[in-house]
């Protein structure tokens, strides 16, 4: 009986090691493309490249490239939907994991919940994810999201609101707090009307690998099982 229990502990531990217990496979994450409409004062985020191309080719948006990565389906372990809303009256795309906030914006704020290019992100910092900072410009009526606090701080007229959730970095070599020297050179602040370099759209997607970790209890159970079996 004891051996049986230990055997199952061993199997559970090995399963955890192979699959990870709380991480969606990073290979399933897809890039989120950002574009900016200077006239309307709107930052737009989408995983749909056709939508991104249309917005940047004929919608008045500057292409700002792939910025971070998210999961496209609700089946991604431990993720929540990053709900997309749009207000056509003031031209603002707004994204939140908070269903109450989304409902409030839809009920009285002039926003419509759009079930387009669904995005799923972590609500806590799991699996090598990085914070996605949200700021808001009341002047431009624009919500802005970035993984770079440095870029965030450089946005004139934007006030930091909260961490919207946790996403995967496009570049595993980026510091985990999202700071990157490239952040300060990105176009897209309202004061910047110069289109960014076109190669940012083609940045290779390299995300953090999920590194499963053994808890001390799992380690001891495995050790015990190995000694007894
Ligand atoms: C969600 O949004 C509502 C309405 O804005 C707010 O009262 C609540 O504190 C938010 N919940 C979280 C977990 O942030
Ligand atoms: C607010 O918006 C106006 C144009 O609508 C612009 O001229 C002004 O510079 C903006 N102010 C700030 C602080 O961004
Ligand atoms: C991010 O990390 C770098 C070093 O890895 C550090 O110099 C910088 O101050 C950090 N920034 C924030 C906002 O924590
Ligand atoms: C990723 O990091 C490497 C090494 O720091 C850098 O050379 C490269 O430009 C980065 N790529 C992106 C897309 O940020």
């Amino acid at each position: 009986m004891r051996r049986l229990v230990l055997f199952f502990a061993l199997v559970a531990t090995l399963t955890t090691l192979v699959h990870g217990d709380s991480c969606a496979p990073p290979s399933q994450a897809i890039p989120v493309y950002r574009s900016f409409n200077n006239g309307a004062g709107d930052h737009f985020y989408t995983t749909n490249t056709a939508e991104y191309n249309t917005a940047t080719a004929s919608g008045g948006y500057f292409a700002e490239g792939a910025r971070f990565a998210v999961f496209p389906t609700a089946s991604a372990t431990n993720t929540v939907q990053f709900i997309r809303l749009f207000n056509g009256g003031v031209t603002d795309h707004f994204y939140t994991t908070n269903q109450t906030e989304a409902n409030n914006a839809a009920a009285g704020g002039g926003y419509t919940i759009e079930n387009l290019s669904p995005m799923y992100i972590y609500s806590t910092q799991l699996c090598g994810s990085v914070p996605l900072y949200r700021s808001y410009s009341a002047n431009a009526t624009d919500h802005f999201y970035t993984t770079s606090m440095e870029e965030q701080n450089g946005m004139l007229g934007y006030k930091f609101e909260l961490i919207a959730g946790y996403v995967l970095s496009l570049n595993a070599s980026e510091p985990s707090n999202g700071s990157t020297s490239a952040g300060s050179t990105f176009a897209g602040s309202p004061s910047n009307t110069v289109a960014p370099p076109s190669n940012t759209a083609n940045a290779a997607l390299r995300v953090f690998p999920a590194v499963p970790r053994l808890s001390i209890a799992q380690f001891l159970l495995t050790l015990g099982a190995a000694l007894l079996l």
Side-chain angles (χ1 to χ4, degrees), residues 11 15-16 21 24 40 42 45 65 69 76 91 95 119 140 151 169 173 189:
V11 169
T15 306
T16 299
D21 50 354
D42 182 38
Y45 299 78
T91 316
Y95 306 79
M119 300 187 238
E151 183 184 33
S169 169
S173 59
S189 78

Side-chain angles (χ1 to χ4, degrees), residues 99-114:
Q99 186 72 59
T100 307
E101 189 180 36
N103 292 344
N104 289 349
Y111 287 80
T112 304
I113 294 177
E114 297 187 312

Side-chain angles (χ1 to χ4, degrees), residues 64-221:
E64 296 191 333
R67 290 301 163 139
F68 49 90
V70 300
F71 297 96
T73 66
S75 62
T77 309
N78 275 322
T79 60
V80 292
Q81 187 166 8
F82 196 33
I83 305 161
R84 168 174 151 182
L85 299 100
F86 180 63
N87 185 330
V90 298
T91 316
D92 180 41
H93 284 90
F94 173 48
Y95 306 79
T96 179
T97 60
N98 184 333
Q99 186 72 59
T100 307
E101 189 180 36
N103 292 344
N104 289 349
Y111 287 80
T112 304
I113 294 177
E114 297 187 312
N115 288 311
L116 300 166
S117 66
M119 300 187 238
Y120 294 83
I121 67 179
Y122 294 117
S123 55
T124 55
Q125 191 157 21
L126 293 172
C127 312
S129 56
V130 296
L132 183 66
Y133 305 106
R134 170 175 127 193
S135 57
Y136 181 66
S137 165
N139 195 32
T141 325
D142 183 33
H143 288 88
F144 176 67
Y145 302 82
T146 180
T147 57
S148 166
M149 189 47 103
E150 190 184 356
E151 183 184 33
Q152 147 87 66
N153 290 340
M155 296 293 289
L156 295 176
Y158 286 72
K159 193 166 174 285
F160 172 74
E161 290 193 326
L162 45 77
I163 290 175
Y166 297 84
V167 298
L168 296 186
S169 169
L170 287 172
N171 196 336
S173 59
E174 232 179 88
S176 63
N177 63 11
S179 109
T180 157
S181 56
S184 56
T185 65
F186 291 148
S189 78
S191 57
N192 191 342
T193 56
V194 179
S198 59
N199 66 359
T200 54
N202 301 318
L205 176 62
R206 286 200 280 132
V207 298
F208 282 108
V211 183
R213 273 188 227 134
L214 272 184
S215 71
I216 290 170
Q218 285 171 331
F219 174 75
L220 291 176
L221 278 173

